[in-house]
Amino acid sequence: MIDIQDITKSFGQLQVLKGISLHIKRGEIVSIVGPSGAGKTTLLQIIGTLDRPDSGRVTIDGTDVQSLSTDRLSVFRNLHVGFVFQFHQLLPEFTAIENIMIPAYIAGKSTAAAKARASELLEFMGLADRAQHKPGQLSGGEKQRVAVARALVNEPSVILADEPSGSLDTKNKAELHQLFFDLRDKYGMTFIIVTHDESLASITDRTIRLKDGLIVGEEIINRHDSGETDTSDTPAATTNDDTQES
C-alpha cells in the first residue's frame, strides 16, 4: 500500500534521513518512535508529500508521488492523505462540522455530500451534539476528535499523525488511542503515528525505531492481515539492545 525506498534527506550539511526503506500494509497501524532529532517528523512529512526527499521514492497506492507536479501533488494529498497534529489546528471562526467539511470543499465536493460525510463522522466520534460548537466551546479531547474527523472526511488512503495525543490528559489520550483502532475496524484505515508515547507504541501493530536517521529496530506487536500480498523485505521483530532506544 505504501512503499518507501532508500529515502535520504539533508538540511544543509546535516543529513537527517540516511536511506530509509519501509513497507506499510493497508489497514496497518504503525508507530514510529525514537529520540528527538532521529528524523521521525521529517520522514512523516515526506510520506505525506509535504516535503520531497533528496533521493529515494515514496509510492502510495501505486502512485510514485515524486513523479507528480506540484499542482497534481496537492490534489493527490488532499484526496489520499489525512493529517492529525499534536495541536488540533482547527479554525476558530468555524463550527466543528464546518471545520470537518473544509477539505471536502477543497476536493470539489458538494455542500450536501460534505455535510453528510462530516455528520457521519461526528456521529461515529460521539460528537453529533457538538456539531455547531466552535473550537473554543470544545474540550481538548473533543477538539482532537474533530481534527481526526477532518482528516477522514475525504476517505484518504492513510492517516499520518504527529504526536496526536501529546497535548491530552490521560483519559482523553486513552480514548484517542482507542479511536484509531475503532476507525481501522470500521473504515479499514491505515495509520502511521509518530510518537514519544511508549504506551501508544506498545498497542500498535508494529513499532519502527529510528535513531540518527536510520531504522535501528522493529517490533511486530500485532500481526495485522490486510489481505494484500507482502512483497517487502521487512525483517522479523527484534529484541536486541538497539530496539530499546526511546
Side-chain angles (χ1 to χ4, degrees), residues 221-240:
I221 301 156
N222 301 299
R223 190 177 294 276
H224 177 69
D225 183 8
S226 66
E228 71 173 76
T229 301
D230 187 357
T231 59
S232 70
D233 294 322
T234 303
T238 56
T239 56
N240 60 35

Side-chain angles (χ1 to χ4, degrees), residues 1-161:
M1 189 259 178
I2 299 176
D3 277 305
I4 301 149
Q5 298 179 9
D6 297 323
I7 292 297
T8 67
K9 182 68 177 180
S10 297
F11 297 98
Q13 298 300 310
L14 177 64
Q15 189 173 22
V16 178
L17 298 176
K18 303 173 182 176
I20 299 291
S21 294
L22 189 60
H23 177 74
I24 309 292
K25 294 181 180 181
R26 189 177 308 280
E28 197 174 15
I29 299 179
V30 176
S31 56
I32 300 176
V33 303
S36 297
K40 304 183 300 297
T41 296
T42 300
L43 177 59
L44 199 72
Q45 290 174 339
I46 288 173
I47 296 171
T49 76
L50 294 174
D51 201 355
R52 292 184 183 267
D54 297 331
S55 63
R57 186 172 68 178
V58 176
T59 304
I60 301 176
D61 271 346
T63 298
D64 179 356
V65 298
Q66 269 71 50
S67 69
L68 300 178
S69 66
T70 299
D71 288 345
R72 290 182 63 202
L73 190 61
S74 295
V75 172
F76 180 89
R77 184 188 308 122
N78 186 49
L79 293 175
H80 292 274
V81 185
F83 296 93
V84 180
F85 302 101
Q86 179 173 352
F87 300 102
H88 54 81
Q89 308 292 349
L90 300 177
L91 298 178
E93 65 270 30
F94 294 105
T95 64
I97 195 167
E98 288 169 342
N99 267 282
I100 296 168
M101 291 167 66
I102 289 171
Y105 282 140
I106 294 171
K109 296 181 181 178
S110 68
T111 297
K115 189 171 184 179
R117 174 65 172 166
S119 298
E120 174 193 349
L121 290 168
L122 281 169
E123 182 72 31
F124 184 81
M125 304 284 176
L127 295 174
D129 62 339
R130 311 294 275 170
Q132 300 305 321
H133 288 66
K134 292 184 177 180
Q137 299 169 304
L138 303 174
S139 70
E142 288 171 338
K143 283 184 278 196
Q144 198 64 321
R145 278 183 281 162
V146 171
V148 173
R150 178 183 58 191
L152 288 163
V153 72
N154 284 333
E155 302 181 64
S157 303
V158 62
I159 297 293
L160 306 181

